[in-house]
Amino acid sequence: MQEAYVNINSIPTHILTWGRWIEETVTEKELVICITGNPGLPGFYTEFASTLQKQLGDLPVWVIGHAGHDDPPEASIREVPQLTGNEEIFNLDGQIKHKLAFIKKYVPKDVKIHLIGHSIGAWMILQMLEDESVRSRVQKCYMLFPTVERMIESPNGWVFTKLAMPLYSVFGYVFFKFFNALPVWLRLFLIQIYFLIFSIPRSFLDTALQYSKPSVAEKVVFLADDEMCRVRGLQKEIIERNIHLLKFYYGTTDGWVPVSYYEQLKKDYPQVDATLDGQKIDHAFVLRHSQPVAAIVREMIQQNLRN
C-alpha cells in the first residue's frame, strides 16, 4: 500500500493505492477507483481495498477520500480550509468536482475505470456520469449499498434529521472540542471501549481518532445534511442513459436503503443489473464485512473486464 495527501482542487486529499501509485505510469488497460461513503476517510477502506487488489491480481486499486474528511499530519505544510466560507468546496457538488478533477488528472484517457461507489459515493458516481469526458472512460460502476434516492425517508434518515442533527447543532462542536482536549491515550481508550461494544476491529483506531477531530466531524455532518436535502427522488434519466454501466448491490438490513427501494428499482427497470445481498451485510460493510464484500466485488469486476 502507498498513501499520501495530494492536492486536488487545492484540497489536501488522502489517497490510498494498491498495485500502482497515482503518479506512476499506468501500463494496465484498466484500474479500480473506490469512492467512499460518508464519512469519507480512506482508512476505513484499507482491508476492503487491499483484499480486493490481492484477489484481482494485476489491476491497481485506488481509494480517494472526500475533501475535508481527513486532515494532513500536523507536520505537513498543507492545510484544509475551514468549513465556514468554503461550503461550496465541501458540499455534494464540491465533492463531485473533486472526484472528477482527480480522474482527469491521474487516469490516462485510454485506461478504462471500474468505479466503486459506496453509499453516497454511488450517488456521486451518477452525477459524474453526466461528464462525458469521464463517462467515456468508465468500464462499469459498482453501486454498493447505494444511497441514490429518498435518504430522508429512510429509517436512518429520520433518526439523523429528527434526533442526531438537532443534538449535534446544540452539543456537537463542544463535545468534539472537549474530546480532543483529552490526552491521546484517554481518547484511544474511550474509542476502544466503543469498538468493543460494537465489535469494531482495533485496526480502525487511528482512523477513528482522525474522524473525531472537530474540523473533520463538522465537514462530515455538513455533507450528511446536504445529502438529506439533495438526495430525493431517483434520477431516472441518468439511470436510463447509463443502465448498461451500472451494477447495484443492496442490503437486506440497511437502515439507509430499505429493501423496498431495491424492489421499486427492479419494478421500474426489469433489465437493471441489481442484486439483493443474502449475507445480512451491514450498510457500513467496511467495519465488519470487508472481506466478503471484496470477494463479491472481485467477481463483479472479473465479469466486466475488457476482452
Side-chain angles (χ1 to χ4, degrees):
M1 183 187 83
Q2 293 177 275
E3 64 178 317
Y5 286 82
V6 179
N7 272 359
I8 302 171
N9 283 359
S10 301
I11 304 295
T13 303
H14 197 185
I15 305 293
L16 304 181
T17 71
W18 289 261
R20 189 173 300 281
W21 178 241
I22 59 172
E23 292 171 330
E24 295 178 29
T25 301
V26 178
T27 57
E28 295 82 4
K29 295 181 179 179
E30 302 169 74
L31 59 77
V32 179
I33 297 176
C34 177
I35 299 175
T36 66
N38 184 16
L41 290 85
F44 286 126
Y45 292 77
T46 302
E47 183 182 10
F48 166 71
S50 62
T51 303
L52 178 62
Q53 201 278 327
K54 285 178 185 176
Q55 294 182 358
L56 288 172
D58 296 334
L59 280 126
V61 175
W62 299 351
V63 180
I64 176 172
H66 293 324
H69 288 209
D70 226 342
D71 284 344
E74 292 182 3
S76 174
I77 60 172
R78 297 171 175 170
E79 291 185 0
V80 177
Q82 64 180 9
L83 174 60
T84 304
N86 295 293
E87 290 84 357
E88 74 284 354
I89 298 174
F90 302 113
N91 63 13
L92 282 169
D93 288 339
Q95 299 292 353
I96 293 161
K97 292 175 184 175
H98 178 256
K99 308 306 177 291
L100 290 171
F102 173 75
I103 290 174
K104 291 175 182 180
K105 182 173 182 179
Y106 291 107
V107 181
K109 292 182 179 180
D110 61 341
V111 172
K112 284 291 187 178
I113 308 168
H114 294 268
L115 273 178
I116 300 170
H118 174 217
S119 190
I120 194 62
W123 188 87
M124 292 182 188
I125 285 175
L126 290 181
Q127 317 317 308
M128 292 164 63
L129 291 174
E130 294 290 89
D131 186 314
E132 185 56 36
S133 67
V134 169
R135 182 182 183 273
S136 63
R137 308 187 206 182
V138 172
Q139 181 71 9
K140 195 76 174 182
C141 305
Y142 311 93
M143 321 288 262
L144 308 179
F145 307 91
T147 53
V148 294
E149 60 174 311
R150 295 178 283 167
M151 287 188 69
I152 201 169
E153 298 176 29
S154 69
N156 284 7
W158 187 92
V159 171
F160 178 82
T161 53
K162 302 299 184 183
L163 299 176
M165 196 61 191
L167 285 172
Y168 178 83
S169 299
V170 178
F171 303 110
Y173 193 77
V174 173
F175 168 78
F176 284 109
K177 287 287 284 186
F178 170 76
F179 183 80
N180 276 268
L182 299 174
V184 174
W185 68 266
L186 182 54
R187 279 181 274 159
L188 287 170
F189 176 71
L190 293 172
I191 293 171
Q192 286 185 71
I193 292 175
Y194 178 87
F195 278 15
L196 186 63
I197 294 170
F198 291 97
S199 303
I200 299 172
R202 287 169 50 89
S203 58
F204 295 120
L205 274 173
D206 288 342
T207 303
L209 197 62
Q210 177 81 345
Y211 176 30
S212 69
K213 292 182 179 180
S215 60
V216 171
E218 68 174 354
K219 295 182 181 76
V220 169
V221 174
F222 172 75
L223 181 62
D225 192 39
D226 197 31
E227 293 168 21
M228 298 303 115
C229 296
R230 295 279 305 281
V231 184
R232 296 299 182 110
L234 187 68
Q235 295 172 298
K236 293 185 176 182
E237 290 185 2
I238 298 178
I239 298 286
E240 290 166 2
R241 280 197 301 271
N242 300 285
I243 200 163
H244 63 291
L245 293 175
L246 303 173
K247 166 69 180 178
F248 292 91
Y249 194 85
Y250 285 82
T252 54
T253 60
D254 195 334
W256 286 109
V257 190
V259 173
S260 60
Y261 290 12
Y262 161 80
E263 293 171 342
Q264 188 63 49
L265 180 72
K266 291 289 287 184
K267 181 180 178 180
D268 291 343
Y269 301 102
Q271 75 276 32
V272 72
D273 189 356
T275 301
L276 193 62
D277 171 60
Q279 303 180 49
K280 294 185 177 180
I281 294 173
D282 297 334
H283 179 86
F285 72 87
V286 291
L287 298 181
R288 303 179 190 87
H289 300 101
S290 286
Q291 295 196 21
V293 174
I296 291 165
V297 175
R298 181 259 306 158
E299 185 174 347
M300 293 178 185
I301 291 174
Q302 288 180 335
Q303 290 172 355
N304 290 284
L305 292 173
R306 297 170 75 178
N307 295 325

